[in-house]
Amino acid sequence: MIWIAVEIIAILAECLIITRLLVNYFGLRKPEKKVLHTSILALCLIAVDLIGTFVIKEELFFITCFIPGAILLSLLLLKGNVFEKIFVNILNYIMVYFSTLPFIFLLTHLTQKDVDEFAFQSQDAVRSSSILMTKIIFFILTQAVLWFHKKEQYRFKKAEWIIIISAFSTTLLIGLGILLLASGSTLSPYLYIAITIMLCMLDIIVFVFLQKLNAVNRQENMQKMLEFQMAQQQNEIEQLDKQYHELSILRHDFKNQIECIRSLLLLGDTQKALDYTNTLTERKLGIAEQHVQCSSSVVNAVINAKFNEAQKHRIETSCRMITHVPEHLEFDVSVLLSNLLDNALEACKLQEADTKLTVSFTEKGGYYRLVVQNTIQESVLSKNKMLETSKENRLLHGWGLKSVKDIAASHKGSVDFYEKEGTFIVSVLLMKQEN
């Protein structure tokens, strides 16, 4: 009789530990009925466990009834994600086995008893002690799960939960198969085949999970690189805008400076005029040519800086700003121009023949259209249809066009690359903002 009492106490302890884990992990749907709902959850788990242990006496009963029953009760009484509830209940059962099987195999080895005899028939102090130890280990494992859940708040997506639950379910079934093999089941040949199939399934699940993880890592790396490039471009644009304003001031003062030199020369004070020009030279007042003067100073700064660089390499430039750049598009248009003009300049510099670079910004049919063109000696798209970077360090280069596509997508627009009569053309559409 005492051994039956030990079994019942073990079942009560196990079910109460499971109940504690589920309630503390998810929380009750109705906290005001905490005692009632916690009691219902615990009593139902205890009832199923007692039936499986003393009436059915079949491990398969726990798989088909205990786990689904615990999941159903969790869905009805507890808060939280459905997939997470399935996962935690499967994890519960795995932890029960993880805390029980090592002791069973160790003690059967020491006592020279059969696994089936020790697990289900033996009634002595050794087995009672092992039961007590396994419940303590199980409690520690559940406490670790609660601590980890509190420490790390994470949210898996539906596909990720499916992969995780599939992996844990397969592991659980493999463990059950090994237990049945160890207990000398008559289904041993079939169990070997089933375990082999499940191991293959587990390999496939791990492969899918790693593939998905790899794709997520690639996206995160791409996002980080784009953010890094955007920060660099924003800094560059701010510097260009600052230079543009400084140049504007210099151009404004230039007339007065020339007038001052003229007055000194008219007065015959040549030495004073010479000293004045030397002072201007020492201050390095080099004024860059202003190729475009539109409503946006930021866009002016980018185009003028790039066109000045183009002229240093004897690249012919042309700009047509048919419409003004709206204030909310200033930064994005400047980033587009910076990327596209950099690519066009790089392509033109590699050519020995005369080259031309053209920019136009127009408005039509509810869209703004930015077009950047540069001459080419041979087709680019026929050799590099995806326009991948040819530079050695692909991690640091090739992000310009990705940035262009992202900006176009953010404004519900599009990007088109094509070639026409020895010219490479990039056309970017940006939807106009509705008033």
Side-chain angles (χ1 to χ4, degrees):
M1 189 67 182
I2 188 172
W3 308 120
I4 296 176
V6 169
E7 292 285 350
I8 294 173
I9 291 171
I11 290 171
L12 292 174
E14 183 178 293
C15 292
L16 289 175
I17 292 170
I18 292 173
T19 302
R20 176 179 177 274
L21 172 63
L22 293 175
V23 171
N24 290 337
Y25 191 100
F26 295 106
L28 292 163
R29 287 183 181 273
K30 297 181 179 180
E32 67 276 9
K33 297 182 179 180
K34 181 177 181 180
V35 176
L36 175 62
H37 287 181
T38 303
S39 301
I40 290 172
L41 179 59
L43 290 173
C44 289
L45 294 178
I46 292 169
V48 175
D49 205 336
L50 288 172
I51 292 171
T53 303
F54 295 107
V55 180
I56 306 298
K57 296 183 180 180
E58 179 60 55
E59 198 65 30
L60 191 62
F61 175 79
F62 284 85
I63 299 294
T64 57
C65 294
F66 190 85
I67 296 178
I71 293 172
L72 180 60
L73 289 168
S74 299
L75 294 174
L76 293 174
L77 303 176
L78 305 177
K79 297 184 291 186
N81 183 282
V82 174
F83 291 102
E84 196 166 4
K85 290 176 182 176
I86 297 172
F87 168 74
V88 172
N89 278 288
I90 292 174
L91 179 63
N92 254 331
Y93 199 70
I94 290 175
M95 287 192 297
V96 169
Y97 271 98
F98 185 76
S99 59
T100 303
L101 287 179
F103 268 89
I104 290 178
F105 285 114
L106 176 63
L107 292 174
T108 51
H109 177 73
L110 294 175
T111 58
Q112 300 297 314
K113 291 183 179 181
D114 181 73
V115 173
D116 187 48
E117 179 187 353
F118 183 84
F120 300 106
Q121 299 174 16
S122 179
Q123 294 181 344
D124 53 31
V126 175
R127 185 170 184 276
S128 299
S129 301
S130 69
I131 290 174
L132 176 62
M133 289 300 299
T134 56
K135 300 317 169 192
I136 293 173
I137 294 173
F138 179 50
F139 176 79
I140 294 171
L141 290 174
T142 58
Q143 191 63 31
V145 171
L146 289 173
W147 176 85
F148 182 79
H149 175 67
K150 185 178 179 180
K151 193 82 173 176
E152 301 290 336
Q153 292 295 331
Y154 50 84
R155 292 290 181 272
F156 290 118
K157 296 179 181 177
K158 182 178 178 180
E160 293 169 336
W161 273 121
I162 292 172
I163 292 172
I164 293 170
I165 291 171
S166 299
F168 273 78
S169 300
T170 305
T171 305
L172 176 62
L173 293 172
I174 290 171
L176 177 62
I178 293 172
L179 178 63
L180 292 173
L181 284 175
S183 61
S185 173
T186 56
L187 301 173
S188 294
Y190 303 102
L191 288 173
Y192 279 117
I193 297 172
I195 290 172
T196 303
I197 293 172
M198 285 186 286
L199 286 171
C200 293
M201 288 173 59
L202 191 59
D203 287 338
I204 294 170
I205 292 168
V206 171
F207 173 76
V208 172
F209 180 78
L210 290 175
Q211 190 178 43
K212 186 176 181 62
L213 186 64
N214 183 260
V216 171
N217 287 336
R218 285 202 306 270
Q219 290 176 355
E220 289 179 352
N221 288 335
M222 184 181 295
Q223 183 66 28
K224 288 179 182 178
M225 288 303 299
L226 285 173
E227 289 173 358
F228 174 73
Q229 187 190 45
M230 289 288 283
Q232 284 187 318
Q233 289 174 342
Q234 185 172 5
N235 182 60
E236 179 185 354
I237 289 166
E238 288 173 355
Q239 292 298 320
L240 288 173
D241 191 34
K242 182 179 177 181
Q243 292 173 14
Y244 174 78
H245 284 293
E246 290 175 354
L247 288 172
S248 297
I249 294 171
L250 290 175
R251 286 173 63 87
H252 178 268
D253 294 341
F254 188 67
K255 181 180 179 181
N256 295 331
Q257 292 160 354
I258 292 296
E259 186 63 32
C260 181
I261 295 171
R262 180 175 176 276
S263 298
L264 290 171
L265 291 173
L266 288 173
L267 293 171
D269 196 344
T270 309
Q271 186 58 45
K272 197 76 171 179
L274 184 61
D275 291 341
Y276 188 79
T277 56
N278 287 337
T279 302
L280 291 176
T281 303
E282 288 172 2
R283 289 172 61 185
K284 299 179 181 179
L285 300 179
I287 299 176
E289 185 178 349
Q290 303 297 295
H291 301 271
V292 62
Q293 186 73 26
C294 72
S295 60
S296 171
S297 61
V298 180
V299 172
N300 288 339
V302 174
I303 295 178
N304 289 323
K306 302 301 181 184
F307 275 21
N308 282 323
E309 183 181 351
Q311 288 199 345
K312 291 178 184 178
H313 294 85
R314 297 182 180 180
I315 300 170
E316 184 182 348
T317 58
S318 173
C319 181
R320 294 171 62 246
M321 304 294 289
I322 306 300
T323 185
H324 75 283
V325 180
E327 186 177 350
H328 74 278
L329 279 180
E330 276 188 338
F331 177 72
D332 283 346
V333 170
S334 61
V335 173
L336 291 172
L337 284 167
S338 182
N339 279 312
L340 296 177
L341 287 174
D342 277 344
N343 291 342
L345 280 170
E346 188 175 346
C348 289
K349 290 175 186 177
L350 297 175
Q351 300 178 42
E352 297 179 357
D354 293 338
T355 53
K356 184 175 182 180
L357 179 59
T358 303
V359 175
S360 68
F361 188 77
T362 58
E363 176 186 349
K364 185 177 181 181
Y367 285 88
Y368 293 105
R369 187 185 185 211
L370 174 65
V371 178
V372 176
Q373 306 179 52
N374 63 274
T375 53
I376 52 175
Q377 290 181 333
E378 57 183 15
S379 174
V380 177
L381 294 175
S382 62
K383 296 181 178 180
N384 188 4
K385 188 175 292 186
M386 303 303 293
L387 296 175
E388 295 179 350
T389 181
S390 58
K391 296 180 181 179
E392 291 183 3
N393 195 336
R394 292 176 178 265
L395 185 62
L396 298 178
H397 300 287
W399 297 92
L401 292 181
K402 293 182 178 69
S403 178
V404 169
K405 292 175 181 177
D406 283 349
I407 290 174
S410 69
H411 292 282
K412 299 180 181 179
S414 62
V415 183
D416 193 17
F417 306 94
Y418 59 96
E419 297 171 349
K420 184 178 180 182
E421 298 176 357
T423 304
F424 183 84
I425 303 169
V426 183
S427 174
V428 183
L429 293 178
L430 306 173
M431 181 180 284
K432 291 177 63 177
Q433 189 178 48
E434 297 293 335
N435 294 326

